Amino acid sequence: MVTVVIADRLGKGQNVAKGVEAAGGRAVVVPGMGADMRLGDVMQQENADLGISFCGSGGAGALTAATKYGYPERHGMRSIDEGVTAINDGKTVLGFGFMDQEDLGKRIVEAYMKKNG
């Protein structure tokens, strides 16, 4: 089962989690304000396959996870298609602007499962 950690600067991410679960994945939503900055730590704790970070710039949490733990990341994304492309390019940490959308979680998990079997 694909485990996805979702970390939103404003403590959201529940809609993305619904999409992850609809696609057959396991979602872990990091609680609280500034959650994006703890993305890499929670990914390590949960032995996660993917991490999704949301903030205004779409980069802080993803860059922190990449710097601290070496996860391949792409940040600054503003669309679901950009996220699917990042998965296809081998990225495991995705940084988006605020996009708490169920379809985002669903399509990211589907792309990951298609790429990784």
Side-chain angles (χ1 to χ4, degrees):
M1 179 178 287
V2 179
T3 298
V4 182
V5 175
I6 302 158
D8 186 289
R9 173 65 52 113
L10 302 177
K12 298 181 182 179
Q14 293 78 13
N15 291 325
V16 174
K18 288 178 192 172
V20 166
E21 291 165 356
R26 181 174 80 93
V28 177
V29 179
V30 182
M33 297 295 282
D36 61 318
M37 300 309 288
R38 299 188 302 277
L39 176 65
D41 297 336
V42 177
M43 286 179 70
Q44 286 286 301
Q45 292 166 6
E46 297 290 335
N47 195 26
D49 301 291
L50 295 170
I52 301 174
S53 170
F54 297 101
C55 69
S57 68
L63 288 169
T64 300
T67 300
K68 190 169 182 180
Y69 295 105
Y71 292 115
E73 66 84 27
R74 182 162 299 156
H75 64 278
M77 293 183 286
R78 299 282 187 250
S79 75
I80 296 169
D81 288 338
E82 284 181 287
V84 169
T85 298
I87 293 293
N88 290 332
D89 290 345
K91 308 304 181 194
T92 57
V93 172
L94 311 176
F96 292 93
F98 293 115
M99 290 177 55
D100 189 13
Q101 301 170 10
E102 191 170 331
D103 197 42
L104 173 63
K106 184 175 184 292
R107 288 194 47 210
I108 293 299
V109 170
E110 288 171 349
Y112 183 85
M113 290 191 313
K114 182 178 178 184
K115 179 175 175 45
N116 296 290

